[in-house]
Amino acid sequence: MPGKTKLSVGYGPNIKTINVELPPSEPRPWDTVDDMTVVGTPQPRIDGPLKVSGEARYTHDIALEGLLHAAVLRSPWPCAKVSRIDVGPAAKQAGVGAAIALVGVGDKLIFAGQDVAAVAATRPELARAALASIIVEYEPQPFVVQTRDAMRDGSPQVHEAAVEERRTGADEPGAERAQGKLSGNVRPGRSQKRGDAKRALNKAPVRFEATYTTQCHTHSCLETHGVVVRWNGKKAATVWASTQSIFGVRDEFAALFGLEPSKVQVITNFMGGGFGSKFGANASGTALAKIAGDLARAADKPVKLMLDRAEEHVCTGNRPDSIQLVKLGATNKGKLTAIHVQAHGTAGIGTGAGVGRNAASVYTKVPDVLVESADVFTHAGPAVAFRAPGHTQGAFAMESAIDELARQLGMDPIDLRLAHDAHPVRRWQLELGRERFNWDARRKAAADMRARNTRVRKGVGCAVSIWGDFGGTEARVTIEIGRDGRVVVKNGVQDIGGGIGTVMAQVAAEVLHRPVEEIEIQIGDSKLGPGVGSGGSKTTSSITPAVRNAAELAKAELAELAQTALEVNSTKNLRWTAEGVSVGRQTLSWADLCKRIEGEAIVAVGFRARNSAAHPRSFPGFETPEIAGAQFAEVEIDTWTGEVRCTQVLALHDCGRVMNELTLRSQINGGIILGTGYALMEERVMDPSLGVMLNANLEQYKACGVKDVPEISIVLTEVISGNNSTGAYGIGEPATIPTAAAIANAVGDALGVHVRSLPITPAKILDALEQQQRASQGGTK
Amino acid sequence: MQPFAIIRPKRVDQARELVVGKPELRVFRAGGVDLFDRMKEGIEDPELLVELRDALTAGVELTKDQPLVPVDTNPLPPAPRYVSAGALTTLAQLAAAALPGVDALHQAAGQAATPGIRNTATLGGNLLQRPRCWYFRNRELVCLKKGGDTCLAITGDSRYHAILGGGPSFIVHPSSLATALLALDAVASVFVGDEQASPQPVLPLHELFVGPEQDPTREHKLAPGDLLTRVWIPVLDDMRSAYQAVREKRSHDWPLVEAAARLRLDQGGSMRDVRVALGHVAPIPWNASQAAALLEGQTPSAKLFAQAADAALADAAALEGNAYKIPMAKGLLRQVLHRASGLALPE
């Protein structure tokens, strides 16, 4: 159905017809008229039983004949020159198959945890024990690990020359590139500009200014980073990798060892979490695939290198911290006239401190906006993209400032948001959330508790998110329909936990009218054809249209067989149902239809076209939809002890057409849980005088436990945008952007004073209360 | 973790015999929770674990009996009855025991760690575990506790360190049971002899622990080979108690501050036999005797409790990063006193 077509698109009661032009290969996108029977329904994960029974084999579980286990010696110093290194003694230790130096004499190490040497041995504990025999002498150098210290003149300089920005497939597509020149440890980075914010601020009758800080946040993947490398001769290798991007690993591994990419097979049958940190063959702060590959060559045996928990924290990336000075200008009546954000953050020795788009692209009715951000280099492990890179930091500061300005102006913070946000879906979400969360009554109750100075306080807050549909065209999905009626869907995509395999089965089932459980899904292997890296929340919108398109091609071939068998003039007269294919009273069962296939099977390969439409609003700089989200949070605070708990979150999200309601809700739950930890507990702690991470574990690095999870309600504000043939787009990142900001705003509502620093610990609550009390005593004097 | 052997003696004297004289290489294993942590973290590599499960007992009971103690040692504090718990009693058993007057113990045991750990961790092991200090637990660092020359919290990040009784080490004692048991005036039976049958001494809980001024490398008085075998809690008539902790997380987190109190209300409604303890504020479980003295004989009131909390923290001295613990401990202690005395908390 090439050419021009009409689509019925929209959300809620707001449905309209638009004209779109489709490439010849593209089926007409499912729109609001199409009636889905499988897509959109809640489907349990097809691999759930394997996962809960322990049968699922993760990279950690790979066992091969002769496998050696690797361990890496890491720099204990934040900054040091290597004056001697000798791995010879390690090679002689029990069970050791290979020992290699990763640095040479004279090399400078610039963070504690950097690769120094590696060993492979028959057992993991023998490898670790052998590391102790390696002789290394270091000349420690001055260092700096705290962002503010690194910004001062005369602070030890991390990089002497210009720093190349490193990007992965998990970074936000289209984000501005950092251009600035290095000065000390500070390099000015991305900026977003509209009008003249500085001038507008000068003229504004109402001004608000505050500094917000966020902490360094580690990904803490439950399955740590790691690979198993097996050489198949000198020019080919099989790599099992815990990765978000099978093809990214393949290409990087091939480049590291000078191989043809096609000679590298990468397998990720199951993986235990990446959150943006698992994109290449190597991790951001440790060359794990290079190390495993070199050790495997040296020992002539397959080598497994899985990092331990401390390494996972220290050298596989993190979310940069931030110090954000936010200035708002407004009229007395609450019209925002200017936003100026100046942000600094440290990505350690790496790049990537940014603050997302809440300030620049949500409040589009504000005429003058300037967002400036800068990288501050410190002697700490390099950051890497982390679920909505920059956005969570920026959302916390911007959404906090909006709430604080509303308090200063005596306005409802939702009203202030609605007055400056033009996205119709986000506006709808805010109105819906206000009603569903019982916002007005709860705000009143919070004000009452504040007035009575109660010991236990409650408060509510909300915040919003912006993200884009970044689905791409690179995936090629194969469908085979066998003469025996079997349907197999194949693609080299990895399931990072979102449940893409289940959704692929649903889409194929929808097109072919087959039961979901009879669709066989083969994923997780580069041999299965080009997939897509799972970053930017784009897996579903890249893969499901390709599945549909492949299924439609296969179905068209089946239709021709049915046309002949049922003796009809046109395939358009065929009726497809769960029973098979019919014309009038004649029905050909699926099994009988498939028996008519010539040869083994019908094989069709599908891919998605570029975007068709972006109703109702496109993401800045893209022709794809802007994804809206809003979250509401309630907190409870004990003002005597500072204990704070997030009790409820209401999340309203748009994710295009819902593919699988169950896994979708599960991803939103995950985003909220991550955001709750970010808001209240998680923080990388560096010792300022030793330059090492103090809480490189999951005891003092405090991620949410089961009792820390709020009660979560989810409202899906489905949008049919016409963006691709299934209408899917992503949810992974949007779901975590507003959580911490909403919680911070709820804390502000409970206390009547904002805590401007994440995580909002009991210590910070007590400090805010003490300052509030001091201010009020000062005021009465 | 490095390979090790394990042995399971039948009697305490045999267990003691295996460990005396070779403390570095041989250690007792009760629940093994903290021990395996230290082994996995690479801060201890013992060769032999001496398992105590056949040599010591588990179980908690209410009894009128007292243990035999050697002549010229102090017996238990006088009380009509005692709660008696074997050293191998798990935290889960202590939490579920439902015994009169010792709510503080139930609450401390029931809130610690996770259900899995509470089913494994023992009373004896909990009291004698090593600190969670992130300098002590980092195998790359040599702190005062590990034979270094300074406590690294002084120049470092001290958010989880001591505000009372600190110096030269500023760890906080990790045992929540110790906080509750100190308030409950508990006493520990200790096996120090070489014959199983001879009377063994008892130690009041406050004498079990060693502050850093005495010896920064240890937290308790027991010598290698000595065994804590049983804990006794005097149960006074009309005794009440409460325990509470502040944590950053609700699931599996160590307290920032904890407080426990025991008291009796006499017929006139006055508080008697008051004992107050704080935890995670000092290198030892902290006996807040000034607060107890202030409360003794008084009628419960919110104002009095606030004064007692001020008194308990009067000597507190914060490091760079832990000043928050002072108001937090005061607020928490006020709540515990309300709960222990039955005086309703303000909303």
Side-chain angles (χ1 to χ4, degrees):
Chain A
M1 285 156 280
K4 288 181 178 159
T5 186
K6 285 186 191 302
L7 283 185
S8 171
V9 294
Y11 53 93
N14 306 294
I15 304 297
K16 64 183 268 191
T17 302
I18 59 169
N19 293 306
V20 296
E21 192 148 349
L22 298 170
S25 62
E26 195 69 3
R28 183 177 177 278
W30 286 327
D31 67 4
T32 67
V33 178
D34 287 291
D35 227 357
M36 300 289 129
T37 58
V38 187
V39 163
T41 60
Q43 289 288 334
R45 288 166 200 271
I46 55 176
D47 52 3
L50 292 176
K51 285 185 169 175
V52 297
S53 65
E55 265 184 79
R57 273 156 58 94
Y58 291 75
T59 306
H60 260 266
D61 301 318
I62 298 301
L64 302 172
E65 182 74 35
L67 184 67
L68 298 182
H69 298 267
V72 181
L73 184 69
R74 303 194 170 281
S75 172
W77 299 98
C79 188
K81 272 209 173 108
V82 177
S83 52
R84 187 182 168 202
I85 179 157
D86 182 3
V87 298
K92 296 182 197 119
Q93 300 294 308
V96 171
I100 55 174
L102 304 170
V103 291
V105 171
D107 283 356
K108 196 171 171 189
L109 299 166
I110 53 173
F111 76 92
Q114 204 168 335
D115 299 339
V116 172
V119 164
T122 50
R123 291 208 310 266
E125 70 273 15
L126 292 177
R128 294 227 163 258
L131 292 181
S133 65
I134 294 174
I135 298 162
V136 195
E137 284 169 19
Y138 304 94
E139 288 169 22
Q141 312 276 315
F143 62 89
V144 62
V145 293
Q146 309 283 31
T147 311
R148 283 187 200 275
D149 295 344
M151 288 163 68
R152 289 196 189 104
D153 286 340
S155 168
Q157 196 157 336
V158 178
H159 294 295
E160 278 137 26
V163 184
E164 190 60 28
E165 196 173 31
R166 185 177 184 269
R167 293 244 175 139
T168 72
D171 282 295
E172 185 185 313
E176 300 76 9
R177 291 199 84 84
Q179 306 287 2
K181 267 201 171 154
L182 184 65
S183 159
N185 286 315
V186 181
R187 188 187 68 162
R190 303 159 190 184
S191 89
Q192 298 149 354
K193 193 167 191 273
R194 180 163 76 237
D196 186 342
K198 287 178 185 172
R199 203 186 59 172
L201 269 170
N202 279 337
K203 292 200 317 195
V206 176
R207 268 175 255 177
F208 172 81
E209 183 177 322
T211 299
Y212 298 90
T213 61
T214 62
Q215 75 280 40
C216 175
H217 185 203
T218 71
H219 299 68
S220 300
C221 308
L222 272 191
E223 183 187 36
T224 57
H225 284 63
V227 291
V228 176
V229 174
R230 182 179 67 197
W231 288 100
N232 309 319
K234 286 205 159 74
K235 295 279 182 192
T238 306
V239 179
W240 287 262
S242 180
T243 184
Q244 296 175 248
S245 178
I246 281 176
F247 288 87
V249 172
R250 185 196 65 169
D251 294 349
E252 189 181 336
F253 191 89
L256 285 170
F257 291 98
L259 311 174
E260 291 289 325
S262 62
K263 298 287 185 194
V264 180
Q265 182 185 10
V266 177
I267 300 171
T268 307
N269 287 324
F270 294 92
M271 70 86 79
F275 311 102
S277 68
K278 290 182 177 168
F279 254 77
N282 289 335
S284 69
T286 180
L288 57 93
K290 180 77 167 80
I291 293 168
D294 279 339
L295 286 170
R297 268 193 174 162
D300 200 19
K301 284 188 174 148
V303 166
K304 178 192 266 188
L305 173 52
M306 300 304 301
L307 302 185
D308 69 14
R309 182 54 57 193
E311 293 174 304
E312 185 70 14
H313 278 293
V314 166
C315 55
T316 68
N318 53 66
R319 183 191 299 286
D321 68 3
S322 75
I323 302 166
Q324 301 176 59
L325 173 61
V326 179
K327 296 177 186 170
L328 304 179
T331 66
N332 289 308
K333 288 183 178 168
K335 184 178 171 355
L336 265 171
T337 54
I339 300 172
H340 183 197
V341 180
Q342 288 168 286
H344 291 84
T346 187
I349 64 167
T351 59
V355 291
R357 294 192 177 271
N358 272 54
S361 308
V362 170
Y363 300 105
T364 48
K365 291 187 179 175
V366 181
D368 296 289
V369 178
L370 178 60
V371 179
E372 302 170 286
S373 58
D375 274 311
V376 180
F377 297 107
T378 54
H379 290 99
V384 74
F386 191 169
R387 203 168 182 177
H391 281 245
T392 58
Q393 299 98 297
F396 165 68
M398 186 60 209
E399 299 295 304
S400 288
I402 289 275
D403 262 47
E404 292 206 69
L405 179 68
R407 193 175 301 127
Q408 187 177 324
L409 292 167
M411 284 181 73
D412 182 302
I414 293 181
D415 292 338
L416 189 57
R417 287 185 171 82
L418 288 171
H420 299 94
D421 184 350
H423 196 303
V425 178
R426 210 160 32 230
R427 297 170 61 84
W428 178 39
Q429 289 166 339
L430 282 170
E431 294 285 13
L432 206 56
R434 165 146 57 188
E435 185 194 318
R436 298 273 178 97
F437 208 57
N438 209 2
W439 174 261
D440 294 341
R442 287 188 185 197
R443 290 254 305 167
K444 201 165 162 294
D448 182 54
M449 283 183 263
R450 288 199 307 271
R452 288 186 292 121
N453 198 22
T454 57
R455 177 179 61 91
V456 178
R457 305 270 183 82
K458 286 186 174 191
V460 290
C462 76
V464 299
S465 66
I466 174 171
W467 195 252
D469 166 24
F470 302 122
T473 58
E474 63 263 49
R476 295 292 179 274
V477 170
T478 304
I479 286 199
E480 284 179 20
I481 299 175
R483 277 173 58 83
D484 56 0
R486 218 176 90 171
V487 180
V488 184
V489 183
K490 299 180 185 179
N491 182 253
V493 70
Q494 57 293 317
D495 181 3
I496 63 166
I500 187 63
T502 308
V503 167
M504 290 166 73
Q506 283 178 274
V507 172
E510 183 79 50
V511 174
L512 300 173
H513 297 267
R514 302 300 303 150
V516 173
E517 55 277 13
E518 287 186 20
I519 310 287
E520 182 182 329
I521 299 295
Q522 296 181 2
I523 55 172
D525 188 331
S526 57
K527 295 268 186 256
L528 295 169
V532 65
S534 295
S537 301
K538 65 182 182 198
T539 311
T540 309
S541 69
S542 298
I543 298 293
T544 60
V547 175
R548 182 188 167 200
N549 298 3
E552 298 282 7
L553 290 172
K555 189 181 178 184
E557 281 195 52
L558 282 176
E560 283 176 22
L561 297 177
Q563 184 185 4
T564 313
L566 296 170
E567 298 171 350
V568 288
N569 293 332
S570 162
T571 55
K572 282 182 186 164
N573 300 336
L574 297 169
R575 213 168 62 247
W576 296 83
T577 65
E579 279 71 52
V581 61
S582 322
V583 172
R585 287 185 186 173
Q586 282 190 86
T587 295
L588 191 60
S589 73
W590 177 262
D592 289 340
L593 175 60
C594 290
K595 280 180 192 147
R596 294 179 168 266
I597 295 171
E598 277 181 41
E600 273 299 291
I602 291 174
V603 180
V605 178
F607 67 97
R608 67 162 275 188
R610 288 179 68 81
N611 224 60
S612 307
H615 183 77
R617 200 177 163 85
S618 59
F619 186 75
F622 281 72
E623 290 178 349
T624 62
E626 176 182 326
I627 306 174
Q631 290 184 5
F632 289 69
E634 181 196 63
V635 298
E636 190 177 297
I637 295 172
D638 183 326
T639 59
W640 285 14
T641 62
E643 263 178 304
V644 52
R645 181 167 178 242
C646 179
T647 44
Q648 280 186 352
V649 170
L650 168 67
L652 303 103
H653 286 283
D654 152 25
C655 50
R657 180 187 289 285
V658 176
M659 296 283 113
N660 180 350
E661 196 184 322
L662 199 61
T663 49
L664 172 65
R665 286 179 182 272
S666 179
Q667 261 200 83
I668 296 175
N669 287 341
I672 291 167
I673 294 166
L674 179 67
T676 304
Y678 185 55
L680 302 176
M681 292 164 266
E682 296 185 47
E683 178 178 15
R684 181 189 73 178
V685 180
M686 298 293 289
D687 185 290
S689 58
L690 302 171
V692 301
M693 181 174 175
L694 294 175
N695 56 343
N697 50 48
L698 286 177
E699 172 181 321
Q700 285 144 330
Y701 186 91
K702 302 186 179 185
C704 268
V706 67
K707 287 192 198 164
D708 302 302
V709 175
E711 181 190 338
I712 297 171
S713 312
I714 295 166
V715 175
L716 300 172
T717 53
E718 196 172 43
V719 177
I720 304 304
S721 65
N723 60 332
N724 61 49
S725 69
T726 61
Y729 43 80
I731 192 61
E733 281 158 302
T736 203
I737 293 170
T739 312
I743 290 172
N745 285 339
V747 169
D749 185 45
L751 301 181
V753 57
H754 209 85
V755 177
R756 293 173 178 165
S757 166
L758 295 185
I760 303 172
T761 56
K764 289 180 189 165
I765 299 269
L766 289 172
D767 188 52
L769 285 165
E770 195 187 313
Q771 288 188 26
Q772 185 185 37
Q773 199 180 3
R774 225 181 282 148
S776 74
Q777 281 166 350
T780 55
K781 269 176 197 167
Chain B
M1 187 161 14
Q2 295 304 314
F4 58 89
I6 200 157
I7 189 169
R8 192 179 291 172
K10 296 274 180 224
R11 301 199 315 267
V12 277
D13 52 336
Q14 294 169 333
R16 180 183 162 77
E17 198 57 35
L18 283 163
V19 171
V20 166
K22 274 194 154 184
E24 295 280 310
L25 304 174
R26 297 181 169 198
V27 295
F28 291 131
R29 186 229 164 176
V33 176
D34 179 36
L35 176 64
F36 288 152
D37 270 3
R38 300 197 307 270
M39 290 166 68
K40 285 187 269 189
E41 286 158 2
I43 55 175
E44 277 177 41
D45 289 317
E47 288 176 355
L48 182 70
L49 306 194
V50 178
E51 272 237 0
L52 297 174
R53 69 172 67 169
D54 292 341
L56 295 178
T57 57
V60 53
E61 59 172 4
L62 200 59
T63 173
K64 289 181 178 165
D65 298 336
Q66 290 203 24
L68 281 179
V69 294
V71 281
D72 69 10
T73 63
N74 289 324
L76 303 189
R81 288 178 299 174
Y82 298 90
V83 166
S84 165
L88 292 190
T89 310
T90 64
L91 269 56
Q93 288 171 312
L94 290 173
L99 295 160
V102 294
D103 288 350
L105 178 66
H106 300 322
Q107 289 155 2
Q111 290 171 28
T114 63
I117 291 174
R118 293 198 292 272
N119 281 326
T120 311
T122 65
L123 168 60
N126 184 277
L127 291 173
L128 303 179
Q129 65 184 307
R130 306 293 325 261
R132 307 306 303 187
C133 170
W134 47 28
Y135 297 102
F136 174 70
R137 295 273 164 176
N138 188 323
R139 68 180 149 212
E140 309 272 353
L141 302 176
V142 183
C143 73
L144 187 63
K145 284 216 148 290
K146 293 188 282 192
D149 55 6
T150 184
C151 174
L152 296 170
I154 298 167
T155 51
D157 194 305
S158 53
R159 71 184 70 188
Y160 300 132
H161 289 83
I163 51 169
L164 285 163
S169 161
F170 288 88
I171 61 132
V172 293
H173 199 276
S175 172
S176 292
L177 295 186
T179 307
L181 290 171
L182 186 63
L184 291 167
D185 202 14
V187 167
S189 287
V190 185
F191 184 80
V192 295
D194 47 15
E195 273 186 59
Q196 199 176 11
S198 62
Q200 298 292 325
V202 292
L203 269 180
L205 218 64
H206 61 90
E207 288 182 26
L208 175 64
F209 298 103
V210 173
E213 277 180 4
Q214 277 176 272
D215 183 352
T217 64
R218 59 199 302 194
E219 295 84 43
H220 60 78
K221 208 178 261 181
L222 303 190
D226 291 356
L227 279 155
L228 189 153
T229 57
R230 182 160 287 279
V231 169
W232 306 83
I233 304 168
V235 180
L236 312 177
D237 290 331
D238 305 317
M239 184 173 104
R240 318 162 56 106
S241 67
Y243 162 94
Q244 198 172 322
V246 184
R247 292 180 168 84
E248 287 174 332
K249 277 176 64 173
R250 298 208 160 197
S251 293
H252 198 188
D253 196 11
W254 295 88
L256 298 170
V257 169
E258 52 190 352
R262 176 202 79 171
L263 53 89
R264 215 159 48 74
L265 285 175
D266 70 13
Q267 293 197 326
S270 299
M271 295 178 285
R272 302 286 174 191
D273 298 315
V274 182
R275 286 182 63 90
V276 178
L278 297 172
H280 282 85
V281 294
I284 54 170
W286 192 255
N287 190 354
S289 51
Q290 309 94 313
L294 205 133
L295 298 164
E296 187 69 34
Q298 304 294 312
T299 314
S301 80
K303 196 177 160 196
L304 178 69
F305 291 161
Q307 288 168 350
D310 286 343
L313 276 300
D315 295 333
L319 296 167
E320 181 84 13
N322 62 3
Y324 72 90
K325 282 194 176 188
I326 298 171
M328 180 180 285
K330 288 181 184 176
L332 182 71
L333 181 52
R334 288 170 70 191
Q335 298 197 12
V336 163
L337 293 172
H338 275 274
R339 289 181 38 229
S341 67
L343 183 69
L345 268 167
E347 67 162 334

